[in-house]
Amino acid sequence: MEEKFIDCPYCHQRVSILLDTGADGFTELVDDCEVCCRPIEITYRIEEYIVTDLRYFAMEGNEF
């Protein structure tokens, strides 16, 4: 597992996320913001136990 910090696309607070680096490939997941509790769509790619691409988005329909 690797901890990364992102800025929530809703409340813009810095939050931590844990990414599983145990298997190579592409992963998609949804995690709630620690501050505002809204869902964040997270996609990332692992190559040789290293995060090579990390993207995160607000989920449509959850904006105020």
Side-chain angles (χ1 to χ4, degrees), residues 4-58:
K4 294 284 189 181
F5 292 90
I6 62 172
D7 294 327
C8 174
Y10 304 101
C11 68
H12 307 289
Q13 295 296 312
R14 190 164 177 84
V15 295
S16 70
I17 57 173
L18 288 176
L19 305 177
D20 184 0
T21 57
D24 283 353
F26 179 77
T27 302
E28 264 185 312
L29 61 96
V30 175
D31 198 6
D32 292 339
C33 172
E34 298 170 350
V35 178
C36 70
C37 299
R38 287 187 248 168
I40 303 169
E41 181 180 352
I42 302 166
T43 61
Y44 64 97
R45 179 172 299 283
I46 302 296
E47 293 178 13
E48 298 180 12
Y49 306 104
I50 297 172
V51 178
T52 59
D53 185 42
L54 171 62
R55 298 169 193 234
Y56 54 94
F57 311 93

